[in-house]
Amino acid sequence: MDIQAARETKQELLRTAATALSAARTGDAGPGGLLVGVRVYGGGRYGLAVRHDGTAGAEVAARALELAGEDADVLDVGVVRALVGDGGPSTQRLDPQRLDPQRLDPGTPPADRSPVERDLAGAPTPARPGRWAAEVLQRRERPLRPGLSVAQRAVTAGTVGGFVARPGDPTRYLLSNNHVLADSDRAATGSAVLQPGSADGGTAADAVGRLSVAVPLQLASPNVVDAALAALDDDVEVDPTYPVGAVTTTTAADDGLLVEKVGRTTGLTRGAVTAIELDGVAVSYPSGVVTFDDQVEVTGADGAFSAGGDSGSLVYDPVTRAAVGLLFAGSERGGTGGAGLTFCNPVDAVLEALGVHLLAP
C-alpha cells in the first residue's frame, strides 16, 4: 500500500467514526464511542481505537474490517481494543499506551504494543565496521558525521541525524530531535550543543554549535514532528555520509520497506517498516503526554532497531539511499521477538517544518 492509499483509508475510517458517533449522540445507535486514533498498515491491515464500549465503536471496527478484507486484523492503538469474534465486532478496555522519547533517562516505562508484524527472519543484519560501532559513536569525533552522540548541554545524549541547509543560507545545520537539541522546548535559542552529549563525557569544550530552531511540541493538538536544528560553528568540519554513502533524497515509507539507521546507542541496525500513517502515538515528555499523528513504525530485523540515546537518527532505505524518517521514540517491548518498536516522524514533514534540505557531500 502506498502512502496515498493509506491516507485515503484513514480518512474513510475517520468519516465512519464521525458518522457513528453522531448517530450515537442522537440516540439512534445506542451507547456512543469516540475514535481517538487510527493505525493504518500496508498489506490491507488497519487498526483503530475507540474511547468507550458501544455501538459506535463496533460500527467503526466493522467498517475497518470491510475496508481491509477478510484477512485483516483490527488492533489496539489506545484505550480500547476492537475485537472480532463469533458474535461480530466488540470492544475490550485496555490501559492507555505511553511511550517515551528515546533518551537515556526515560520516565514512564513503555507499554506493550500489538503490531501487525512482518517476517523479518530473512533480513540480514548489516556489517558493523568500526567507525559505525556504538563505542565509537559515543566518543568525541571530528569531523562530525551521522550517528554520533550529541545533545543540548542539559540533555544526556541523543544522535546526530544528519546535516541540512537552507536555500541561500551559508550556515550548516545539524539535524536531530527537539528533545535532544532543545531539551523538549526548555532550552533557550543559542544554547550550546555538545558532541558528545554529557552522558558520554561532553563538556563546554566540546560545543559544536548552538540551538537555532525547534518545532514546538504541542499538548493541545496532535504533532507530526519532534525536530530541531543546531547552527554549526564555522570551524567545525562535517562528513555527511552514512554507511551506504550519501543520503540526499527522500522517500515516503511503505509497508515492508527494509530500512537502516546509525545511532549513538545501538550503532548500525536494520529493520522494516511495519506501520505507516500511524495516529495517536502518545509519548511522555517533561511537559506531559504529547501525541503524534501520521507516524512511521519500524520493527528490528535482528533484535532491537533502536534504544534510548538513538533519538535523532535518520532512518533511510539502504538500496535507494533515500531518507524515510527521523527516529524519535520507542518501546522496549512489542515487535518481533519482543525486542521493541521504533517510531519515526516522516522525513518530508521534518524537512518542511524546518525549511531545510539534506546537505550533499
Side-chain angles (χ1 to χ4, degrees):
M1 171 183 292
D2 63 24
I3 194 75
Q4 186 57 38
R7 287 174 179 166
E8 290 173 357
T9 299
K10 184 169 69 173
Q11 291 304 313
E12 170 66 17
L13 289 175
L14 289 168
R15 287 192 293 270
T16 301
T19 300
L21 180 59
S22 176
R25 284 175 172 168
T26 59
D28 297 332
L34 176 63
L35 185 75
V36 295
V38 176
R39 188 175 193 171
V40 180
Y41 297 90
R45 294 173 180 262
Y46 311 93
L48 61 142
V50 285
R51 178 70 69 183
H52 303 295
D53 296 346
T55 305
E59 182 176 335
V60 177
R63 181 56 177 155
L65 288 176
E66 182 182 340
L67 287 168
E70 61 183 20
D71 295 329
D73 296 327
V74 179
L75 301 173
D76 68 282
V77 293
V79 296
V80 174
R81 173 177 288 171
L83 299 173
V84 179
D86 294 339
S90 62
T91 56
Q92 173 181 317
R93 189 166 300 282
L94 297 178
D95 292 330
Q97 294 193 88
R98 292 293 180 263
L99 304 170
D100 289 292
Q102 292 240 338
R103 52 196 301 168
L104 295 181
D105 51 350
T108 308
D112 287 325
R113 296 179 65 87
S114 302
V116 175
E117 297 174 358
R118 288 291 182 182
D119 180 8
L120 297 175
T125 300
R128 297 176 182 271
R131 76 190 306 253
W132 306 111
E135 58 269 23
V136 175
L137 297 171
Q138 293 167 22
R139 301 189 313 216
R140 185 185 194 276
E141 290 279 306
R142 303 291 184 273
L144 297 185
R145 54 192 172 87
L148 292 175
S149 168
V150 73
Q152 194 270 345
R153 59 187 180 184
V155 177
T156 52
T159 294
V160 175
F163 305 98
V164 297
R166 290 194 176 104
D169 181 354
T171 304
R172 301 157 305 154
Y173 296 93
L174 184 155
L175 172 66
S176 192
N177 295 136
N178 176 319
H179 75 265
V180 172
L181 299 182
D183 194 17
S184 303
D185 291 329
R186 295 183 294 183
T189 300
S191 59
V193 170
L194 314 179
Q195 194 294 306
S198 61
D200 298 316
T203 68
D206 298 304
V208 294
R210 306 283 167 175
L211 174 63
S212 174
V213 62
V215 180
L217 297 167
Q218 306 292 335
L219 288 174
S221 59
N223 298 259
V224 179
V225 304
D226 175 347
L229 300 177
L232 293 173
D233 294 339
D234 292 340
D235 61 349
V236 174
E237 295 183 12
V238 302
D239 174 5
T241 58
Y242 295 77
V244 294
V247 175
T248 58
T249 61
T250 65
T251 189
D254 200 358
D255 179 67
L257 178 70
L258 289 180
V259 291
E260 286 182 2
K261 77 97 186 65
V262 58
R264 173 258 175 213
T265 304
T266 56
L268 179 59
T269 57
R270 176 169 287 186
V273 173
T274 44
I276 57 176
E277 285 293 295
L278 176 58
D279 283 2
V281 177
V283 184
S284 297
Y285 285 82
S287 58
V289 175
V290 179
T291 61
F292 291 82
D293 285 354
D294 305 332
Q295 301 302 291
V296 178
E297 178 188 276
V298 176
T299 300
D302 183 18
F305 184 72
S306 67
D310 285 331
S311 269
S313 302
L314 194 71
V315 176
Y316 56 87
D317 178 346
V319 176
T320 64
R321 296 191 293 181
V324 172
L326 186 69
L327 192 159
F328 81 106
S331 66
E332 295 177 355
R333 294 167 296 200
T336 302
L341 294 166
T342 295
F343 299 90
C344 310
N345 307 147
V347 70
D348 285 328
V350 170
L351 299 179
E352 181 178 354
L354 295 168
V356 296
H357 59 81
L358 295 170
L359 188 66

